[in-house]
Amino acid sequence: MGLSNVRICFVGDSFVNGTGDSKCLGWTGRICNAAIEQGHDITYYNLGIRGETSTDISGRWFEEVARRLPESCDRKILFSFGVNDTTIENGKPRVELSQTKENTQKILSIAKSLFSVLMVSPPPIVEVEQNSRVGILSQELAIICQQLNVPYLDVFTPLEKSEVWLKEVAANDSYHPNAGGYLELANLVQKWDAWQGWFS
């Protein structure tokens, strides 16, 4: 029998939203579906918004989460963002690396004082130069999470070697996979000790 009344908010960008998935599940829907099939009683909120940066998320996450996670329940948040920060606009990244780090530090510090918190890295994309910025960002986010004692899952490294992920992203819009790619990402999160630990 699972814990009763676990509520989970997934906060992030289009990858959290599951953009590109013809099944409309993304990775978040798949891992929650699996948890429910294992007998856990969970309420699942997808708060992924396409195109959002860490700055956008920093401005909205608390109000959105607070409405959905009353004190009477087991309150959990999984964050994942970063790719949009690294997109070049007018000759520079939408959000400079130092600012992304500052945003992440602030978001996670507040969140972990009130909720159970996990973070999943941004995934790889096809465009080579931007992808190298995403890879650097992922490593920086890992350091912040380590300092704050927030479990962090690097999906960037394994997905960079995933034929399914890369093929689907290339065939789609150079950013988002279809169902097969999201299944690969879901499997990585599914096997993660910290995710499993939320239900043990």
Side-chain angles (χ1 to χ4, degrees), residues 134-149:
V134 177
I136 290 163
L137 174 58
S138 176
Q139 291 169 351
E140 293 290 345
L141 296 177
I143 293 165
I144 293 168
C145 285
Q146 194 178 1
Q147 289 165 345
L148 292 173
N149 203 20

Side-chain angles (χ1 to χ4, degrees), residues 43-109:
T43 302
Y44 151 62
Y45 296 106
N46 188 313
L47 305 178
I49 298 181
R50 276 193 90 160
E52 285 213 334
T53 64
S54 62
T55 303
D56 300 317
I57 291 161
S58 182
R60 74 174 170 91
W61 78 270
F62 184 79
E63 187 194 354
E64 293 188 7
V65 161
R67 286 168 180 266
R68 291 167 175 84
L69 301 180
E71 285 184 21
S72 58
C73 65
D74 186 358
R75 311 187 292 170
K76 303 182 184 304
I77 310 175
L78 195 157
F79 291 98
S80 185
F81 52 78
V83 173
N84 293 313
D85 292 42
T86 68
T87 304
I88 298 294
E89 249 176 32
N90 307 319
K92 61 184 203 298
R94 285 182 63 196
V95 182
E96 294 290 351
L97 181 57
S98 58
Q99 185 62 52
T100 304
K101 287 163 67 176
E102 203 174 297
N103 291 339
T104 306
Q105 182 95 27
K106 183 178 156 198
I107 291 166
L108 296 179
S109 298

Side-chain angles (χ1 to χ4, degrees), residues 8 10 31-32 35 78 118 189-190 192-199:
I8 306 171
F10 292 84
I31 62 174
C32 287
L78 195 157
L118 302 178
V189 182
Q190 188 71 42
W192 184 25
D193 293 350
W195 168 256
Q196 290 294 339
W198 266 1
F199 305 105

Side-chain angles (χ1 to χ4, degrees), residues 18-32:
T19 301
D21 180 5
S22 57
K23 297 216 183 310
C24 294
L25 290 167
W27 60 273
T28 60
R30 285 178 170 83
I31 62 174
C32 287

